[in-house]
Amino acid sequence: MTPTGYLRYPHINGDLLVFVAEDDVWLAPADGGRAWKLSADSAQVSYPRFSPDGSAIAWTSSRDGSPEVYVADPDTGTASRLTYWGDNRTRVTGWTRHGEVLAVSATGEPEIFLTWAYAVPVQGAPPRRLPFG
């Protein structure tokens, strides 16, 4: 177990760094300086990832119970929940080239080790299971 203040899951895009500390998602200038919170839910979060163009950040959060996929604009900080899977194996892994969040989950599977990759659209369409499991 790592201390809650420890910088975890760093990801960089251009001149910004996103990371997890104290169960929140934080942003900071990549060349150093003061960091600021993107999330303040006091819930376990992990795997923040910038979209390829840097216009969004996706991460995994247990804000509402089980880990789910969330996305936010790094400028406004407004976050939206994208999945309602209720699976403890859910985690964000990155982004597709089409601007969808790439996540893995065992949702709907009879065994928790049967995880699949999903493309999760940011604009309200249902997630698509990809042929990678």
Side-chain angles (χ1 to χ4, degrees):
M1 183 81 179
T2 60
T4 59
Y6 186 70
L7 182 143
R8 297 168 288 161
Y9 312 109
H11 192 239
I12 195 163
N13 183 285
D15 60 353
L16 277 179
L17 170 71
V18 65
F19 60 93
V20 170
E22 300 176 352
D23 288 333
D24 288 309
V25 178
W26 291 75
L27 288 163
D31 59 353
R34 187 177 179 97
W36 63 95
K37 284 185 183 183
L38 183 64
S39 74
D41 298 326
S42 297
Q44 192 171 30
V45 295
S46 58
Y47 304 104
R49 294 292 178 257
F50 278 104
S51 62
D53 65 2
S55 67
I57 298 170
W59 68 89
T60 309
S61 175
S62 298
R63 178 172 92 176
D64 298 317
S66 297
E68 300 291 350
V69 177
Y70 287 78
V71 68
D73 180 320
D75 295 326
T76 66
T78 304
S80 300
R81 182 175 171 177
L82 299 182
T83 62
Y84 294 84
W85 290 332
D87 173 45
N88 287 330
R89 307 262 309 178
T90 297
R91 71 179 171 94
V92 168
T93 60
W95 290 78
T96 70
R97 64 179 162 199
H98 302 295
E100 299 167 304
V101 179
L102 186 60
V104 293
S105 179
T107 185
E109 294 297 325
E111 301 291 338
I112 63 169
F113 65 86
L114 297 174
T115 58
W116 287 90
Y118 289 85
V120 183
V122 175
Q123 298 301 326
R128 281 182 299 112
R129 189 169 99 171
L130 301 173
F132 310 109

